[in-house]
Structures are given as structure tokens and as C-alpha cells.
Amino acid sequence: MTEKVAIRGADERTSIDLQNRLPSFDEVLFRKTRPPVDLFMFYLFLQHESAEDVLDFWLDVHQHENLCRAYFKDVRKSGRTIREDWPQYYEYARRRGSIYGTVATTKRDTGSAGDLEKAAEANRDYTRSVSPRPPTSTSATHNPNPPTTQTRKSTEGHVQLAVAEDGTQPKRSGTSFSARRLSLGRSFSKRASRAPTIIPRDSAITRTDLIASAERIYLRYLAPGAPKEIYLPAALRIHNFPLSSASLPQPALPEYEIESSALAQVPDMFHQQKEYVFRAMEQDAFPRFLRAKAFGNLTPVGALVRLCVGLLVLWVGLATAFSLIFLDVKPKSKRFFLFIPFALAVLFLVSHQYELDPILVFLGQSETTPFRAIRIREPYVNKLLLGRALWVMFLVLLGVVVLTMLFWAVPGHRL
């Protein structure tokens, strides 16, 4: 109960803090933000760049780690210790450290909790210091020489593991990110995932479940020729996965020393790769995402359509203006009606230039996909967009006045 109150208080503080600044990448990934700078919009942004696989990988690994935490808590609730239930992993964590810290131990492990915690911290520091720096472009996170299976980009909806850190299915109000992403995938492709990876909580999680989760991640993202293969530097590549969840009996107790050693690495197997992908997105894709969604509300396709329409309407307006001049149409005040095509043309052209439609901003909307919009719910982003919308409207008004007065002042001359 105390933990829930603390989490609720932290969320409230984050919400108040976000009223005066843009969100961080951590806040977006852990769903502490609202549209148009939430996780769903970031996924759409990456999908437009054909780089959503890196985010899928990060989410899958994060859920794999949550599944491992749920396993450790199940063991703790059973009254056993990791040293008793999984001695190979306990020795691995004691020697090399683990990202789970003291989650993988209980109070019965007297004298070992502090060792594990120190080892975990040392391992995290070591990971930060030796992990290669990410590329300067998110596009570099994909294999530069992809296999033939990658020539056609998959847009299938990705379904997350519906397991929270406590091993239960999380309850959220409204449409979850997973469901919205799956719905989006179906709208782009008929090959949406039909088999969501959901671990039932009517029974304790076993090591076979952990192996199945890790095996799925390896085959989907890291194996040579994988359907969603991502690029990683040589030091972080995993060339094979020696275990198979189908060949191991419950509760996954391999008889051979090599298999036991490999199984002990499963909980921490993808953490360094996850950190590398995180930094790659944080340094390149995320700043561009903020520029696109916190300072604009149009998709690239929407901006391009406005450019084409603006040029067409401008041509119509100029053709009409020159016709009125060279036909010397009387009275001259009829030329004031030129403000209508000029207003539309300048509005569309300036909207393309700033990737911001002021009309949509005043209606509180931001484009998600071409010609589909979502309500702006992040207060600070809404304030930024309103300020830019007012500036765009000032430029539109200035352009319309200049063009209208210019063509009104030119004396008529019948050819």
C-alpha cells in the first residue's frame, strides 16, 4: 500500500513538473506523458522512418526483464531463496552482478543481499563505461546490409508482454498503448500479430517461461536473417541461442553444465543491448520527435499536401489577379476579393514551412497519421503550439495584406 501511494505521488509530481518543460525520454518510454508526446506518437514517428524495430526491441526486452522480476517474486512468495531454487543464477549474479539487485534474493540470504546489491551496481557502472557509443543516426541502428527478408518492411502490430513488474497483468484506463499499436498495425497491414505473448498469472512463472521469452527476442531481433533484425556493434551481438524452451522439461532444469551456465545468463542476457538501443534513440530520434510534435502538429505527408494545395491555390489567385488587371475590370474594389485565394494559399504554404497548422492548434488537435488527428493533452506542449500558431497567423495575415494591397494598387490596363 505504501509503495502504491509513493508511486502515485511520484506520478503527480511528474505531471506538475511537465507543465513547465518538455518530457525526457525516460518519461515517454515509461508512459508518464500525454499526447502528442506520448509513447504511441513516438512509435508512429519511428514507424514513418522505418525504424520502429529498435523501439519494439527495447519494449520486448523491458517486458522480458519484468517477467524475470515476476519470477523472482514468485520464488520469494513461495518461501524459498534464489540460492536454493536456482543456485547457478545465484552464483552468476554474485560473481558478475545483476540488474535486478536484491530482487533475486530474500531476507533468508543473510550476508548476501549487500553483496548482490554492490555487484549489481558495479555491473551497471561497468555496462555504462564499456558499452559502445550509439551511431549518430537512428537509421544506423538497422543492419546496413540487411538480408533479403528485410527488403519488405514489416508493419505488423507488436503486442507486448502483458506482465507488470509484480507479475500481474497491468490495469490501465482507456485504450492501452499495445492495443492502439496493434490497431495501427492492422490498418497498415493484414499481417497483424494473432498470438499475443501473455503469461497467465493463475500459476507461478517458471524458468521455461523465461527461456521462451528470451528465445522469442533472439529469433525476432538478433538472429541472422531475423524478421525484425536490428543492427548492433560487434561487441554486443549474440551469435547463437543455445537453449530451447521446447526441449527443456518443467521447471527447466538442464542436466548439462553448458546449458546450466547459459540458462543462468537468461535474465540479464539482453540488458547491454537494451541500453545501447536506448541511448541511440535518446541521442538521435527523440530530439527530432520533440521538434516535430512539440513545435509542430503536422505529419510530413500532411505538410507536403498543404504545399501542393497552397501552390495550386496561389496559381489560381495570381491568374485571377492578373486577369482583373489586364482586363481592366471595373470597379477596382472587386480586386479586394483576391484576399480569399491569397489567404488560403499563404496559410497552406506557411503551414508547410513550419509543419504547423494553426487552425488545428486552435482546435487542440495534432496529426497522428495523414488526415487523422489526436487531442493535445500535454499542457506545456499545448502552450508552445499556441504561441507558434499565433506567430504563423501573424505571418499569414501579413502576407495576405501585402498581396491584396499590391494587386489592388496596380492600375488596370486592357490589352
Side-chain angles (χ1 to χ4, degrees):
M1 184 65 181
T2 305
E3 293 180 358
K4 292 182 179 179
V5 172
I7 293 174
R8 189 182 303 114
D11 290 342
E12 291 176 354
R13 287 193 298 272
T14 301
S15 178
I16 295 174
D17 193 25
L18 283 175
Q19 294 181 6
N20 302 309
R21 63 173 177 83
L22 290 173
S24 66
F25 190 40
D26 281 304
E27 290 166 342
V28 172
L29 283 181
F30 290 99
R31 309 179 197 181
K32 296 179 181 179
T33 59
R34 291 178 287 181
V37 288
D38 60 339
L39 183 58
F40 178 64
M41 294 292 285
F42 183 58
Y43 184 84
L44 291 181
F45 178 81
L46 291 180
Q47 191 173 59
H48 177 76
E49 299 186 345
S50 298
E52 74 277 11
D53 289 350
V54 291
L55 179 57
D56 284 335
F57 173 76
W58 190 94
L59 292 169
D60 269 344
V61 175
H62 182 69
Q63 293 299 330
H64 170 74
E65 292 175 354
N66 282 347
L67 185 68
C68 295
R69 290 186 179 92
Y71 167 79
F72 295 139
K73 291 183 179 181
D74 283 348
V75 171
R76 184 169 58 187
K77 290 177 182 178
S78 69
R80 293 171 59 82
T81 65
I82 295 299
R83 176 186 289 181
E84 298 168 349
D85 189 76
W86 196 353
Q88 294 88 353
Y89 174 75
Y90 180 85
E91 289 299 319
Y92 172 86
R94 188 177 63 83
R95 292 194 316 269
R96 302 186 58 179
S98 172
I99 63 171
Y100 306 100
T102 57
V103 174
T105 186
T106 67
K107 294 181 180 179
R108 291 174 57 188
D109 291 325
T110 52
S112 62
D115 295 338
L116 273 178
E117 190 170 4
K118 292 178 182 178
E121 183 63 31
N123 183 65
R124 285 193 291 269
D125 294 339
Y126 175 77
T127 300
R128 297 190 189 103
S129 63
V130 303
S131 295
R133 295 182 64 83
T136 56
S137 173
T138 300
S139 59
T141 58
H142 287 268
N143 193 338
N145 299 306
T148 55
T149 55
Q150 279 189 287
T151 55
R152 183 174 181 178
K153 201 69 182 174
S154 172
T155 54
E156 68 177 41
H158 170 76
V159 182
Q160 300 178 56
L161 281 167
V163 180
E165 292 191 9
D166 60 353
T168 59
Q169 296 185 14
K171 297 180 180 179
R172 294 188 180 91
S173 59
T175 306
S176 67
F177 169 71
S178 303
R180 292 160 69 187
R181 189 160 47 152
L182 179 57
S183 175
L184 176 72
R186 285 174 178 162
S187 67
F188 281 99
S189 172
K190 295 181 179 179
R191 295 186 297 154
S193 175
R194 297 179 180 178
T197 308
I198 298 177
I199 305 299
R201 296 302 293 138
D202 55 353
S203 60
I205 293 174
T206 66
R207 273 169 276 178
T208 302
D209 296 326
L210 306 187
I211 295 173
S213 174
E215 185 179 25
R216 181 179 64 88
I217 292 173
Y218 173 77
L219 294 176
R220 179 176 288 185
Y221 303 103
L222 304 179
K228 297 167 76 71
E229 184 178 7
I230 63 172
Y231 170 77
L232 292 171
L236 296 179
R237 293 175 189 167
I238 301 176
H239 300 286
N240 59 75
F241 192 82
L243 299 174
S244 174
S245 58
S247 63
L248 291 176
Q250 295 283 354
L253 294 173
E255 299 178 357
Y256 299 101
E257 183 178 351
I258 296 178
E259 290 183 343
S260 298
S261 176
L263 176 59
Q265 300 177 33
V266 164
D268 301 270
M269 178 171 287
F270 307 111
H271 186 68
Q272 288 190 11
Q273 291 80 0
K274 174 189 172 187
E275 290 295 308
Y276 174 84
V277 166
F278 176 91
R279 289 195 299 273
M281 292 188 291
E282 184 182 39
Q283 293 177 10
D284 182 55
F286 184 65
R288 290 187 287 107
F289 166 71
L290 286 183
R291 284 195 297 270
K293 297 304 176 184
F295 298 96
N297 67 339
L298 296 179
T299 61
V301 174
L304 181 61
V305 169
R306 283 165 173 79
L307 173 64
C308 296
V309 174
L311 291 175
L312 178 62
V313 176
L314 181 62
W315 179 82
V316 171
L318 292 176
T320 304
F322 282 111
S323 297
L324 294 175
I325 292 173
F326 292 119
L327 292 176
D328 196 17
V329 176
K330 303 293 185 178
K332 196 176 180 180
S333 59
K334 288 184 178 180
R335 299 186 195 178
F336 281 117
F337 289 98
L338 291 172
F339 83 91
I340 298 176
F342 287 156
L344 293 175
V346 175
L347 174 62
F348 288 140
L349 293 176
V350 177
S351 295
H352 164 265
Q353 181 65 29
Y354 283 83
E355 294 189 350
L356 183 143
D357 189 325
I359 307 300
L360 284 180
V361 172
F362 295 145
L363 295 175
Q365 301 291 314
S366 179
E367 280 193 348
T368 56
T369 55
F371 313 113
R372 305 181 98 179
I374 193 171
R375 186 161 187 82
I376 301 172
R377 299 187 180 276
E378 197 64 59
Y380 186 70
V381 173
N382 187 47
K383 183 166 60 175
L384 289 176
L385 290 176
L386 280 175
R388 286 174 63 85
L390 291 174
W391 170 248
V392 168
M393 289 302 297
F394 170 75
L395 294 179
V396 170
L397 181 62
L398 180 62
V400 171
V401 170
V402 169
L403 287 173
T404 303
M405 296 304 297
L406 176 65
F407 282 96
W408 173 82
V410 174
H413 180 73
R414 189 175 183 86
L415 297 178

